[in-house]
Amino acid sequence: MIAPRSQPIWLVAIVLPAILPALLGCTPAPERFHSARPLMGTVVEITLYHPDQDRARELIDRAFAEMERIERLMSIRIAASEVARINREAYPGPIAVDREVFDLIGRALEAWRETSGAFDITVGPLMQLWPLYRAEKILPNDVQIGEALERVGFDLLMLDPESSRIAFKKPGMSIDLGGIAKGYAIDRAIGVLRGGGVASALVNAGGDLYALGLKPDGTPWRVGVRHPRRPEELIATLEVHDIAIMTSGDYERYFLKDGRRYSHIVDPRTGFTARGTAGVTLSAPIATWADALATGVLVLGPDAGLELVNRLPQVEAAILSEASEHRLKLTVSAGFAQVFRVDEGKLAY
Ligand code: ADP
Ligand code: MG
């Protein structure tokens, strides 16, 4: 039993912490919340700082739901997706398509122009030819590659922005948004968080990410970039905020045959899988844009790739290419030199 005399002290002890923030005119300190879900062929992690647990959890759920919605709309591996329907019906077409998908195809068109055709979402026929997702690794021959190439090219896609209608000019064409949709999903997730008043968050889809704001203690987000040839190691650690960082590589999805590496990125100019560049880490203010450009720069390689990056405002990149057997070469744009720092020793593997 508490003596009556001590009651006021207990009251103060209970009431004061509750009203103190209001008295001081400040809200409770933000806490860190984190959640991970399998999505888009990887694990997506959302980290954010927020003073209110229920609100934080609600916003994380909404951001994930938004990314899931985009995957259902745009994945070629989901038969009911809008992109799968386009691939079934756009020849001879034209067909009216979902406005959001149409607009993303418009962004892909910009990337196609900027990368001189290295980034091209019409690579579907080539993606089906290379046996990345088949057990039997039979390589296509030159005739097959030549035939597939005739059905590849953004100029074979007819787009009508007025009515958001699409048509394929040739039968057997197909589009694949795998090189840009993840970036778009990240941008949309960040949009949900920002719209909900979040000032500090990281949306990380297996190393492809957007860092919103600084952490509450004023420090930047620290994010690792995997070593392209030593999967257990990082090649660099970046400190970033308010920027998208996207990495395209030949080391996450690929197959080996007769000692050669075949990546999941194809060169739309030759029909072969992209060669010579192990990884591209690229930063830009928008993840959609960074995603497409990273894929395009991987196809272009270090020289043409760096030239492109230098030409584009607010875009920086680090390109790791094969210098010789067991040795990588780092090509880095001026604005990234201080951010993407690699120990010389790490380039040998
Ligand atoms: P990841 O999905 O591993 O992050 P990317 O963003 O580089 O990698 O995208 C690779 C995907 O892009 C491929 O799986 C394929 O769907 C698609 N793709 C392959 N080659 C090209 C290309 N030249 N232009 C546009 N998209 C491509
Ligand atoms: Mg990409």
Side-chain angles (χ1 to χ4, degrees):
M1 204 179 112
I2 299 160
R5 211 161 50 90
S6 66
Q7 222 169 24
I9 295 165
W10 278 96
L11 262 178
V12 168
I14 292 163
V15 172
L16 196 61
I19 61 167
L20 198 59
L23 288 177
L24 297 174
C26 66
T27 45
E31 271 179 66
R32 182 180 182 277
F33 297 92
H34 175 265
S35 184
R37 280 190 207 178
L39 249 165
M40 301 190 148
T42 186
V43 175
V44 178
E45 291 176 80
I46 299 182
T47 309
L48 63 78
Y49 287 90
H50 202 279
D52 176 352
Q53 169 161 345
D54 291 346
R55 180 80 175 133
R57 292 282 168 216
E58 182 208 324
L59 286 168
I60 288 176
D61 282 347
R62 276 175 42 200
F64 275 128
E66 178 66 356
M67 296 180 90
E68 281 158 5
R69 185 186 67 79
I70 292 160
E71 184 174 25
R72 281 195 304 274
L73 197 60
M74 304 199 180
S75 171
I76 49 163
R77 276 169 273 281
I78 298 174
S81 79
E82 182 69 344
V83 172
R85 186 180 72 89
I86 292 172
N87 287 340
R88 285 193 301 269
E89 299 177 3
Y91 181 83
I95 55 163
V97 308
D98 175 88
R99 187 77 227 179
E100 192 176 5
V101 173
F102 189 90
D103 289 345
L104 189 61
I105 292 172
R107 300 305 308 272
L109 173 60
E110 284 175 53
W112 177 74
R113 289 205 183 103
E114 288 290 5
T115 62
S116 321
F119 179 84
D120 190 335
I121 57 165
T122 68
V123 291
L126 289 169
M127 295 303 293
Q128 288 152 25
L129 203 57
W130 292 96
L132 185 71
Y133 300 106
R134 263 179 275 137
E136 239 187 325
K137 304 299 181 203
I138 300 172
L139 301 178
N141 60 39
D142 290 352
V143 175
Q144 292 171 306
I145 292 171
E147 278 169 4
L149 270 179
E150 282 177 21
R151 291 176 276 126
V152 172
F154 217 117
D155 45 349
L156 299 176
L157 209 59
M158 286 191 288
L159 303 176
D160 176 10
E162 298 274 277
S163 61
S164 62
R165 287 194 303 171
I166 287 186
F168 293 158
K169 286 188 190 167
K170 290 184 179 175
M173 288 177 61
S174 62
I175 58 168
D176 182 337
L177 298 183
I180 190 170
K182 202 194 290 170
Y184 178 67
I186 291 172
D187 283 331
R188 294 289 305 198
I190 286 291
V192 167
L193 301 179
R194 205 185 251 137
V198 174
S200 177
L202 183 74
V203 176
N204 187 346
D208 291 336
L209 58 95
Y210 188 94
L212 174 66
L214 293 161
K215 290 192 271 181
D217 65 2
T219 60
W221 299 89
R222 281 172 67 84
V223 295
V225 177
R226 268 221 269 157
H227 193 297
R229 295 292 176 259
R230 291 198 220 121
E232 308 303 317
E233 280 178 38
L234 299 180
I235 194 150
T237 302
L238 318 183
E239 300 197 330
V240 293
H241 66 92
D242 299 298
I243 203 155
I245 305 280
M246 303 295 289
T247 296
S248 272
D250 67 1
Y251 52 95
E252 296 228 315
R253 273 179 282 156
Y254 67 95
F255 66 93
L256 295 170
K257 187 171 166 76
D258 304 329
R260 288 201 88 151
R261 180 184 288 263
Y262 296 90
S263 87
H264 70 312
I265 295 172
V266 292
D267 186 333
R269 301 162 305 180
T270 64
F272 279 80
T273 62
R275 282 264 154 78
T277 304
V280 173
T281 298
L282 186 142
S283 72
I286 296 168
T288 308
W289 191 224
D291 193 3
L293 289 176
T295 307
V297 168
L298 189 123
V299 171
L300 289 172
D303 300 335
L306 183 69
E307 205 177 297
L308 168 64
V309 168
N310 284 340
R311 188 157 51 76
L312 297 171
Q314 293 184 286
V315 175
E316 304 291 344
I319 306 166
L320 287 159
S321 52
E322 300 272 11
S324 57
E325 219 183 326
H326 301 296
R327 190 161 186 87
L328 296 171
K329 184 181 89 173
L330 174 66
T331 304
V332 63
S333 65
F336 228 34
Q338 294 307 309
V339 183
F340 198 98
R341 279 195 293 220
V342 176
D343 289 341
E344 191 60 24
K346 289 231 170 196
L347 295 175
Y349 64 90

